[in-house]
């Protein structure tokens, strides 16, 4: 009766349970799962790192983060038939629709999600090779990015974590 | 003695002769009948093969399977009901076999036979074709048929075997508008056998106070101490805001909401209530476990 039902020892330990998410896609619909999963992991007391690479780099690029798009073409689960998905304006239409939906659900935008992740102690990294490929400098990135590192560095930093490629 | 033997042998001889004679008859009969039988067999097998080619046997087999399925799927009552409907079914069949209806069906089949020759038609083509008087009449007939179909689906006594069709119900396949999901509520109250009592208060197995109204500041201190947190005035500001928000909204706020509402910020929340700030805040503030992942 004297011990509290939820003993502190049972609490999740971010040092013991870790996940490493790899965000390789920059679509609005493609980056949200990463951001939400990372945030939920932090809220659950899981140590979390995210590696932004290839088009995922857009999510943490200052000039791009506000302009992430939903890409319908080549998306097998797109609500639009393929013949319509490629029409001009369809992407913008779907993007604004999704933005509205996210707002209705009280989900913050990508920039605020990145800020939240950083504040909650999630480690955010940008891919060094992708930076060179897209000719970006660390100044182009959001200030929440902890460092520009190589994939090898990332795997070394996240040793023991569960790797999740999104 | 000998005379008797001779007589017997003689009788035997006569019988043998008779048997041999019959054998000869039979042979000649078979000889004569063979071509006839062959012809007859050919005559019969011809129509049989034709029937086979026309799928009669397959159809018969299918009918057998259908009967099996009928017996399996329908009870005696339903079969009885079916029998009651037979008269109507026959009426329908009769009206379907009227010469004009059959002619229409034949026409339709002919059109389908030549479907390969029909050119694909766009919207403007369809409009153009609408000028044709025959097409206009056909459309009118089709619309009339559709109207009758619609009338058949007007609200009547609901059929017990079919889903009830109300006037406003869209046809199957069209999803109904989904009502907006309610705001995330707090975790549901646990069952009585899932309650842990600690310091005179009931807690869920996860450590959340079952009845938030029984919370006291003293209990908060005790829980915080059990969790290894020494409460400061900064903690208290967060806890009071979270409690007030719960009482106001009826749902526990998550970290983001608490951080914004109490103006502490997310980073500080993770420092004040380490590891799981949302859950820990709710636990100490005596409110249910917050739901939601952002």
């Amino acid at each position: 009766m004297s011990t509290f039902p939820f003993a502190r020892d049972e609490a999740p330990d971010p040092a013991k349970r870790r996940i490493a998410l790899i965000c390789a896609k920059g679509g609005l619909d493609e980056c949200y799962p990463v951001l939400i999963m990372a945030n939920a992991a932090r809220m659950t007391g899981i140590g979390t790192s995210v590696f932004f690479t290839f088009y995922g780099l857009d999510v943490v690029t200052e000039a791009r983060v506000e302009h992430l798009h939903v890409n319908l073409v080549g998306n097998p689960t797109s609500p639009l038939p393929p013949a319509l998905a490629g029409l001009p304006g369809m992407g913008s239409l779907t993007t604004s629709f999704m933005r509205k939906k996210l707002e209705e659900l009280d989900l913050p935008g990508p920039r605020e999600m990145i800020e939240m992740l950083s504040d909650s102690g999630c480690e955010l990294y940008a891919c060094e090779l992708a930076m060179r490929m897209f000719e970006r400098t660390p100044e182009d990135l959001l200030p929440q990015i902890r460092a520009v590192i190589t994939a090898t560095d990332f795997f070394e930093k996240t040793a023991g974590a569960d790797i999740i490629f999104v | 003695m000998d005379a008797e033997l001779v007589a017997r042998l003689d009788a035997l001889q006569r019988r043998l002769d008779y048997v041999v004679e019959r054998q000869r008859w039979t042979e000649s009969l078979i000889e004569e009948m063979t071509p006839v039988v062959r012809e007859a067999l050919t005559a019969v097998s011809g129509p049989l093969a034709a029937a086979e080619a026309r799928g009669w046997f397959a159809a018969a087999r299918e009918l057998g399977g259908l009967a099996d399925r009928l017996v399996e799927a329908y009870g005696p009552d339903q079969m009885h009901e079916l029998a009651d409907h037979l008269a109507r079914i026959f009426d329908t069949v009769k009206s379907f076999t009227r010469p004009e209806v059959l002619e229409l069906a034949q026409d339709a089949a002919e059109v389908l036979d030549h479907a390969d020759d029909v050119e694909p038609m766009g919207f403007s083509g369809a409009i153009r074709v609408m000028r044709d008087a025959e097409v206009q009449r056909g459309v009118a007939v089709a619309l009339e048929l559709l109207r009758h179909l619609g009338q058949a689906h007007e609200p009547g006594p609901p059929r017990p075997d079919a889903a009830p069709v109300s006037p406003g119900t869209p046809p199957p396949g069209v999803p109904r508008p989904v009502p907006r999901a309610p705001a995330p509520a707090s975790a549901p109250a646990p069952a009585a056998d899932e309650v842990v009592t600690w310091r005179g208060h009931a807690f869920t197995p996860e450590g959340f106070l079952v009845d938030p109204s029984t919370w006291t500041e003293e209990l908060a201190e005790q829980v915080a101490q059990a969790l290894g947190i020494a409460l400061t005035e900064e903690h208290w500001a967060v806890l009071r805001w979270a409690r007030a928000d719960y009482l106001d909204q009826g749902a526990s706020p998550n970290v983001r909401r608490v951080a914004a509402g109490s103006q502490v910020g997310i980073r500080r929340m993770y420092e004040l209530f380490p590891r799981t700030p949302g859950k820990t805040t709710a636990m100490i503030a005596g409110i249910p476990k917050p739901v939601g992942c952002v």
Side-chain angles (χ1 to χ4, degrees):
Chain A
M1 282 297 166
S2 59
T3 52
F4 187 59
F6 190 72
R8 199 63 196 150
D9 304 341
E10 294 170 23
D13 187 346
K16 282 187 189 147
R17 188 173 174 203
R18 298 183 55 82
I19 61 167
L21 290 149
I22 299 165
C23 178
K25 293 171 198 132
L28 184 65
D29 53 328
E30 292 161 330
C31 73
Y32 257 94
V34 182
L35 303 177
I36 292 173
M37 295 302 286
N39 186 58
R42 283 305 296 135
M43 282 167 63
T44 322
I46 299 172
T48 313
S49 311
V50 187
F51 190 60
F52 293 93
T53 184
F54 274 80
Y55 293 108
L57 209 53
D58 276 8
V59 183
V60 289
T61 300
E62 184 65 55
R64 304 271 182 145
V65 64
E66 303 290 351
H67 307 287
L68 299 180
H69 234 66
V70 178
N71 188 9
L72 291 169
V73 180
N75 176 2
T77 43
S78 154
L80 280 175
L84 291 180
L87 288 180
M90 276 304 171
S92 307
L93 200 72
T94 325
T95 304
S96 62
F97 180 73
M98 185 167 281
R99 286 231 174 89
K100 220 174 100 193
K101 257 317 191 219
L102 292 170
E103 217 166 278
E104 274 176 27
L105 288 169
D106 195 27
L107 281 172
R111 187 195 288 274
E112 200 193 330
M113 287 292 294
I114 296 283
E115 285 168 9
M116 266 174 64
L117 283 178
S118 170
D119 285 352
S120 68
C122 174
E123 298 174 12
L124 306 170
Y125 299 103
C127 172
E128 193 262 346
L129 182 63
M131 290 284 283
R132 277 194 283 145
M133 182 183 284
F134 296 116
E135 295 176 355
R136 283 177 204 166
T137 61
E139 289 74 51
D140 295 333
L141 302 180
L142 297 181
Q144 285 81 15
I145 289 293
R146 195 169 282 206
V148 175
I149 59 173
T150 64
T152 327
D153 292 338
F154 182 70
F155 284 129
E156 280 169 8
K157 277 180 186 294
T158 57
D162 295 323
I163 311 281
I164 302 154
F165 186 93
V166 187
Chain B
M1 197 66 181
D2 281 350
E4 199 183 329
L5 190 66
V6 167
R8 269 197 195 173
L9 276 174
D10 191 39
L12 198 63
Q13 175 69 38
R14 258 182 282 134
R15 256 184 224 173
L16 266 174
D17 283 348
Y18 174 73
V19 168
V20 167
E21 186 66 11
R22 281 201 54 177
Q23 177 68 23
R24 202 170 292 141
W25 287 344
T26 313
E27 269 171 20
S28 70
L29 182 71
I30 289 175
E31 213 166 287
E32 277 169 31
M33 283 304 284
T34 305
V36 178
V37 168
R38 193 170 292 147
E39 209 156 297
L41 274 177
T42 318
V44 170
S45 67
L48 281 179
E52 171 75 72
R54 286 165 65 184
W56 280 26
F57 293 134
R61 268 197 301 280
E62 280 304 309
L63 274 177
L66 184 67
D68 275 354
R69 277 203 296 268
L70 273 176
V71 170
E72 278 166 25
Y74 295 99
D77 290 351
Q78 282 161 310
M79 287 302 269
H80 201 85
E81 215 170 280
L82 185 68
D84 287 347
H85 289 132
L86 272 182
R88 239 178 121 187
I89 291 171
F90 283 134
D91 278 351
T92 313
V93 170
K94 202 168 118 195
S95 63
F96 263 114
T97 47
R98 283 198 332 256
E100 51 270 43
V101 175
L102 284 179
E103 208 171 303
L104 184 70
Q106 208 172 344
D107 280 357
E110 263 170 41
V111 169
L112 280 180
D113 277 347
H114 297 107
D116 289 345
D117 306 338
V118 175
E119 289 286 319
M121 191 183 289
F123 186 65
S124 54
I127 302 252
R128 216 168 22 248
V129 158
M130 276 300 290
R131 291 197 204 120
D132 190 306
E134 278 178 17
V135 173
Q136 285 175 0
R137 205 162 32 240
V139 168
V141 171
L143 285 177
E144 189 61 29
L145 183 65
L146 285 177
R147 189 171 302 135
H148 275 85
L149 278 178
Q151 277 167 4
H153 271 270
E154 279 294 298
R159 284 170 294 167
D161 54 333
V165 179
S166 67
T169 306
V174 179
R176 277 173 299 137
V178 180
R180 241 193 99 178
S186 301
D193 58 338
E194 287 178 355
V195 164
V196 185
T197 308
W198 185 73
R199 307 265 163 105
H201 292 273
F203 288 87
T204 70
E206 281 183 291
F208 295 92
L209 195 61
V210 171
D211 183 0
S213 64
T214 62
W215 178 86
T216 59
E217 296 203 352
E218 191 198 350
L219 182 71
E221 291 280 3
Q222 291 173 347
V223 172
Q225 201 182 352
L227 294 174
I229 298 169
L231 293 181
T232 64
E233 196 41 51
E234 202 178 2
H235 286 100
W236 274 111
V238 173
L239 294 173
R240 285 196 198 99
W241 190 89
R243 244 193 106 71
D245 189 58
Y246 165 75
L247 294 174
D248 186 41
Q249 303 284 323
S252 291
N254 55 27
V255 204
R256 181 168 160 246
R257 194 172 160 83
V258 176
S262 62
Q263 297 185 325
V264 165
I266 288 176
R267 189 181 295 276
R268 189 75 184 125
M269 279 294 291
Y270 275 85
E271 290 163 6
L272 291 173
F273 305 94
R275 299 175 189 185
T276 57
K279 279 168 69 176
T280 307
T281 303
M283 216 178 272
I284 301 174
I287 57 179
K289 182 182 174 181
V291 181
C293 42
V294 175

